Amino acid sequence: MKNINVVAAIIYRASPCLDNVTEIFITQRNTGDYALKWEFPGGKIEIGETPVEAIVREIQEELNTTVTVEKFIGTIEYDYPKFHLTMDCFWCGISSGSLQLLEHNASRWITTNELEGIDWLPADVLILDKVREFMLN
């Protein structure tokens, strides 16, 4: 089975509308087998890149935004029908930019209460407990 190594950014903000409750940014896939499923933005690690370099590059390419990688959240291993996915997930803040959708169908900011009601990609589901911990701390 083919192995694919990717990175995902859990981009957060404190929402002033919600008494500074932490929200995270999620994106909806545009094409492919999992079109319209929700995910944490990111992508493949290129040869010679570190995971941190990859997440900064991917967010710049996909969302025209520069992120600061603050903490490593965890690694997810998941077997899709056609490949094995290894996904390193990072807690990220926005340094500059306005999160423009250049490759995704839609996006939204969600709170911890909304994590369970999302039609996630299967691999992304596996990191939700750790994401919730980060959002609540």
Side-chain angles (χ1 to χ4, degrees):
M1 182 177 283
K2 181 179 178 181
N3 290 311
I4 298 179
N5 296 314
V6 300
V7 289
I10 292 73
I11 301 169
Y12 76 93
R13 72 175 183 188
S15 172
C17 301
L18 299 170
D19 294 324
N20 291 319
V21 168
T22 300
E23 295 179 303
I24 56 170
F25 185 77
I26 62 173
T27 53
Q28 188 180 49
R29 291 182 67 89
N30 200 4
T31 60
D33 293 341
Y34 295 94
L36 305 183
K37 295 278 189 181
W38 291 87
E39 66 181 348
F40 296 110
K44 292 180 184 174
I45 301 171
E46 293 182 356
I47 294 171
E49 271 186 323
T50 67
V52 170
E53 291 168 338
I55 199 62
V56 171
R57 177 188 51 76
E58 283 287 344
I59 299 307
Q60 186 63 52
E61 290 175 2
E62 291 183 4
L63 299 168
N64 196 28
T65 299
T66 302
V67 293
T68 301
V69 177
E70 296 183 11
K71 294 181 184 174
F72 173 71
I73 292 180
T75 299
I76 295 303
E77 302 279 343
Y78 187 82
D79 287 326
Y80 282 97
K82 298 177 183 174
F83 60 91
H84 176 80
L85 182 81
T86 301
M87 181 170 68
D88 291 332
C89 303
F90 296 91
W91 189 250
C92 300
I94 297 173
S95 299
S96 65
S98 58
L99 295 170
Q100 298 173 311
L101 295 182
L102 302 176
E103 296 183 14
H104 293 90
N105 187 54
S107 66
R108 60 190 272 209
W109 289 96
I110 63 169
T111 64
T112 54
N113 294 337
E114 298 169 293
L115 283 172
E116 300 304 321
I118 304 294
D119 187 14
W120 294 103
L121 282 172
D124 289 59
V125 170
L126 301 177
I127 197 72
L128 293 181
D129 287 339
K130 288 186 179 183
V131 169
R132 183 179 292 103
E133 288 176 28
F134 272 75
M135 292 176 76
L136 295 173
N137 289 326

